[in-house]
């Protein structure tokens, strides 16, 4: 398997109907819509990964948002979490622009790919363990295709961490037992791969100050450097409440 297979993998993911609850929910949301997006034709399908096939840094989230990726068809695009993530990637020099509005807005990621362990928007943003495990083979295949170039991974949140570690093991990396525990700022070495933990860019975390822009930029910048990607900036003062 090589990186040329990623476009095919993305197409196969977008056609998946393996989880009846998720299929029903994502399609119901696409039909009923949100009033603010009444004129949109929602994607309403599984959302594949986004970014170059030769990425050196992978960011692993949780699942698409019902009115974000499920609407736009691109990871972390069109919702508040994506606003925070892509602005931070732009700030450290890993994205071409700080905003992600729709799938054809010109956004490019530099050496970075964004994916998730669950590719369908789940009710209440909470996929079940069974849905997580059913979706895992897609992440395993993606990791295998990225392996020739992949040097670092940032996992957003404990759910993503718990889903990603078994996928790394199935994709051929040696994951220690007991498995490393999630924490913000955690860093572990897996067979030539640097694995980083970061609080999720959810509104709950960013609005309360649990995850500040500086905290996110610091993790992304450190991971980018571990992946040998050019980044910009350094430690910044952050006046966000809650620090």
């Amino acid at each position: 398997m090589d990186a040329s297979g990623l476009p095919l993998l993305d197409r196969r993911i977008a056609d998946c109907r393996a989880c009846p609850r998720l299929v029903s929910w994502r399609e119901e949301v696409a039909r009923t819509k949100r009033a603010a997006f009444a004129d949109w034709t929602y994607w309403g399908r599984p959302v594949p990964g986004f970014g170059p096939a030769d990425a050196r840094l992978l960011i692993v989230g949780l699942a698409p948002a019902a009115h974000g990726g499920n609407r736009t068809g691109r990871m972390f695009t069109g919702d508040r979490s994506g606003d925070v993530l892509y602005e931070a990637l732009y700030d450290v020099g890993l994205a071409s622009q700080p905003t992600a509005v729709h799938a054809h807005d010109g956004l490019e990621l530099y050496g970075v790919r964004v994916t998730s362990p669950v590719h369908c928007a789940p009710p209440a943003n909470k996929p079940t363990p069974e849905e997580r495990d059913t979706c895992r083979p897609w992440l395993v295949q993606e990791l295998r295709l990225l392996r020739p170039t992949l040097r670092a991974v940032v996992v957003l949140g404990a759910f993503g961490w718990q889903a990603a570690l078994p996928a790394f093991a199935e994709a051929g990396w040696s994951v220690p037992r007991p498995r490393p525990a999630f924490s913000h700022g955690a860093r572990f070495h897996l067979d030539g791969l640097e694995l980083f933990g970061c609080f999720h860019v959810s509104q709950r975390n960013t609005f309360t100050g649990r995850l500040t822009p500086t905290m996110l930029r610091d993790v992304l910048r450190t991971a980018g450097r571990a992946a040998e990607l050019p980044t910009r900036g350094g430690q910044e003062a952050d006046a966000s409440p809650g620090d």
Side-chain angles (χ1 to χ4, degrees):
M1 302 178 77
D2 58 51
S4 64
L6 268 174
L8 175 59
L9 177 65
D10 291 344
R11 291 194 296 272
R12 292 178 60 208
I13 289 172
D15 289 335
C16 184
R17 301 184 64 85
C19 299
R21 188 182 80 114
L22 297 186
V23 171
S24 176
W25 173 252
R26 80 193 190 206
E27 294 180 355
E28 174 64 19
V29 169
R31 283 192 299 269
T32 59
K33 307 182 182 181
R34 177 176 282 172
F37 307 120
D39 59 342
W40 276 75
T41 298
Y42 274 52
W43 173 254
R45 300 165 63 189
V47 181
F50 167 57
D54 59 351
R56 299 182 67 86
L57 171 61
L58 181 68
I59 298 173
V60 180
L62 191 162
H67 301 282
N70 190 56
R71 170 172 59 91
T72 64
R74 195 174 70 189
M75 283 285 173
F76 280 106
T77 299
D79 60 64
R80 295 286 183 88
S81 295
D83 292 344
V84 172
L85 177 62
Y86 288 122
E87 182 175 10
L89 284 168
Y90 173 79
D91 287 345
V92 302
L94 297 176
S96 63
Q97 61 191 45
T99 57
V101 181
H102 57 80
H104 304 290
D105 58 11
L107 174 64
E108 293 182 61
L109 301 183
Y110 303 139
V112 180
R113 186 171 171 87
V114 182
T115 193
S116 64
V118 176
H119 287 275
C120 291
N125 293 321
K126 293 181 179 179
T128 67
E130 292 77 16
E131 289 161 350
R132 173 200 65 198
D133 294 346
T134 298
C135 210
R136 181 180 299 143
W138 296 126
L139 181 57
V140 172
Q141 292 180 59
E142 189 169 15
L143 289 170
R144 287 173 175 163
L145 290 165
L146 290 169
R147 184 159 190 165
T149 59
L150 193 61
R151 296 296 177 265
V153 178
V154 173
V155 182
L156 302 173
F159 181 97
W161 188 268
Q162 293 164 1
L165 290 180
F168 284 119
E170 289 185 38
W173 278 274
S174 296
V175 178
R177 288 193 175 270
R179 289 173 178 159
F182 172 80
S183 65
H184 180 83
R187 181 174 183 173
F188 296 94
H189 182 76
L190 302 177
D191 296 343
L193 186 73
E194 295 294 321
L195 179 65
F196 297 84
C198 179
F199 290 143
H200 196 278
V201 289
S202 66
Q203 291 187 54
R204 181 177 62 182
N205 286 341
T206 57
F207 283 5
T208 62
R210 187 179 192 219
L211 178 66
T212 68
T214 290
M215 291 167 64
L216 178 58
R217 288 194 298 265
D218 286 347
V219 172
L220 293 175
R221 187 180 294 110
T222 302
R225 290 172 178 167
E228 300 180 356
L229 293 172
T231 61
R232 60 174 174 245
Q235 293 285 340
E236 304 99 342
D238 192 321
S240 300
D243 281 3

